[in-house]
Amino acid sequence: MKNVYQHANCFDDVVLYSTFFCEELGTEDPNSTLALYHYTNWEVYTSFIRKFHGELEIRLTNITAFDDKKEGYHVFPVLYGIFLEAYKDQLIDRDFCCQLLQELCDCNKQKNQLRKWYVLSLSDESDCPYLRENYACKNRKPGAIIGLHTLALTDLRFLNENAFLISQNEQPKRDTPNIFLRRVIYDKSVFKEFVYNSLKSAYKFRHQIACSHYSPHHLVRNFVDVYRLYCKDSNYKEEKEVRLIVDGNVVKEYPASFSFETRCSKLRSRYSDKCQHNDVCREHLYLYLPESALYHVEHLSISPASTSTSSADN
């Protein structure tokens, strides 16, 4: 992807941009598949995805509403361990390590950091026994596997680029991305090297004047902000999850593509425009894609032997 993030001129921004985008899942990824799949039970399926006037309405869930109440917090023990390893490896001294650990503890106490983020959980695998059993057909109930074209999802990243494109004498709309598609990390070694390199730079320049972006405060918060949305405990590795992660503020920037209220609802309120922009944390966010984004739908009965499949056109 071409570099459109001209304002990444300090360490904070470089950490954010390089991690969000340099390894972003896309069609150029050799492991990318034609479609990504969402596993869900049949009751949820009927409200999760709908066709409406040539559009596909897909429901994302606020990360704070997930069954796993540690969502967004799996990264803290991982970073704690990496900071201690960096000290033991003599990459940083004791004082700097203690500062990092204290900042991590303070950051962990802030409970409202996740309220703006919405997630669509997907998988590369179209027939994963683990996801069938634990999500689609949990408690032996009928379920569904919904396939979405990968390209339709990766194209959403261009909304990020549009916000960063700068005309002469204009400032960008915002400084950080708010839509991205990433594989969930279950192995800390995947980002340990990146954290180590960042710590090395921060430690080297920690006493430089006008280098507040190298401070433990900024460093830790950037690590947390970047990784908390797609870092999970290794106990979840069988999920092999891919996440579409969206900042709820996209409703203000792209009302044609996102909404807090379903367009299919006959009970659409007269004050919906007002509701779109208040600060209340809503459980769901709705994404609108062309109907062609739907790859296929597979209906699952309780017994694998009687599983039935329907195409996207049915």
Side-chain angles (χ1 to χ4, degrees), residues 36 186 194 272 288 305:
L36 292 170
Y186 304 100
F194 176 80
S272 61
Y288 296 91

Side-chain angles (χ1 to χ4, degrees), residues 138-207:
K138 187 176 182 180
N139 299 323
R140 294 188 57 78
K141 293 183 178 180
I145 302 175
I146 304 159
L148 298 172
H149 281 287
T150 304
L151 187 60
L153 296 171
T154 56
D155 279 351
L156 289 171
R157 66 188 179 184
F158 294 114
L159 296 179
N160 279 321
E161 292 193 1
N162 291 338
F164 284 91
L165 293 176
I166 303 171
S167 301
Q168 190 173 5
N169 300 322
E170 287 186 4
Q171 293 297 317
K173 296 178 183 177
R174 50 187 160 77
D175 296 323
T176 55
N178 58 12
I179 305 169
F180 49 103
L181 187 67
R182 293 300 306 261
R183 299 183 190 279
V184 170
I185 298 173
Y186 304 100
D187 181 359
K188 72 173 184 179
S189 65
V190 172
F191 59 88
K192 179 180 176 180
E193 182 180 359
F194 176 80
V195 173
Y196 260 44
N197 289 335
S198 300
L199 287 176
K200 188 183 300 183
S201 297
Y203 184 70
K204 178 179 180 180
F205 295 104
R206 68 193 185 284
H207 297 310

